[in-house]
Amino acid sequence: MRVTLTVPETPSEAEREAILAPLRAYNIARGGDPKLRPLAILLTDENGAHQGGLWGKISYDWMFVELLSVPEALRGGGYGSQLMARAEAIARASGCVGIWLDTFEFQARGFYEKLGFSVCGQIEDHPIGQRRYFLQKRLVA
């Protein structure tokens, strides 16, 4: 088989799937079923409008928190802690070993550390002059 490299101007979901399919097959063959489960916990106002929340997934016995967003007007009201507590409860009920996430230096490292997370990696100059941190919290010893 002969292949070439192509770079689409606007990558599509079908192109993402073309990349993901062989990787998924390889991972399942070697690591077993990841039992992938998406997760969303929404902040919903009295009118039913979503005002932020948490987005993540459970895969291979760990929860990954991809997004945590609390609008400026709601910050300081404990919503971030509530979102993370609910995520942790779901992770524990799902038998997860732990939770991991990443955050930029200008975001919420201290917030996550107060919740029991510890830094397990970092990237310097991402963005330039800043750091990106990777944190984890083990739920099972």
Side-chain angles (χ1 to χ4, degrees):
M1 175 188 328
R2 186 161 189 248
V3 297
T4 61
L5 301 179
T6 58
V7 180
E9 280 294 318
T10 308
S12 69
E13 189 58 34
E15 289 161 335
R16 181 182 188 279
E17 185 58 36
I19 295 165
L20 184 57
L23 179 60
R24 185 183 298 122
Y26 179 89
N27 290 349
I28 290 171
R30 279 144 188 91
D33 181 1
K35 300 175 187 153
L36 181 63
R37 176 181 166 202
L39 172 68
I41 306 170
L42 301 166
L43 292 172
T44 307
D45 69 20
E46 64 275 1
N47 297 317
H50 303 311
Q51 301 294 324
L54 182 148
W55 181 267
K57 66 181 175 183
I58 295 173
S59 176
Y60 286 121
D61 306 310
W62 277 78
M63 177 182 285
F64 170 55
V65 175
E66 182 179 359
L67 305 169
L68 178 70
S69 173
V70 177
E72 290 283 340
L74 297 176
R75 290 190 184 162
Y79 295 109
S81 296
Q82 289 177 45
L83 288 163
M84 291 300 294
R86 178 70 63 89
E88 184 173 329
I90 292 168
R92 287 182 185 280
S94 300
C96 289
V97 172
I99 304 171
W100 72 280
L101 52 85
D102 63 272
T103 189
F104 290 106
E105 184 173 10
F106 55 84
Q107 289 180 326
R109 175 183 168 183
F111 166 75
Y112 295 117
E113 288 174 329
K114 286 178 187 174
L115 298 177
F117 284 78
S118 59
V119 173
C120 58
Q122 69 183 42
I123 300 173
E124 297 292 327
D125 288 325
H126 185 42
I128 292 176
Q130 302 275 337
R131 292 177 189 90
R132 186 172 189 170
Y133 295 101
F134 296 85
L135 296 99
Q136 68 173 346
K137 180 176 182 179
R138 290 191 66 89
L139 304 176
V140 178

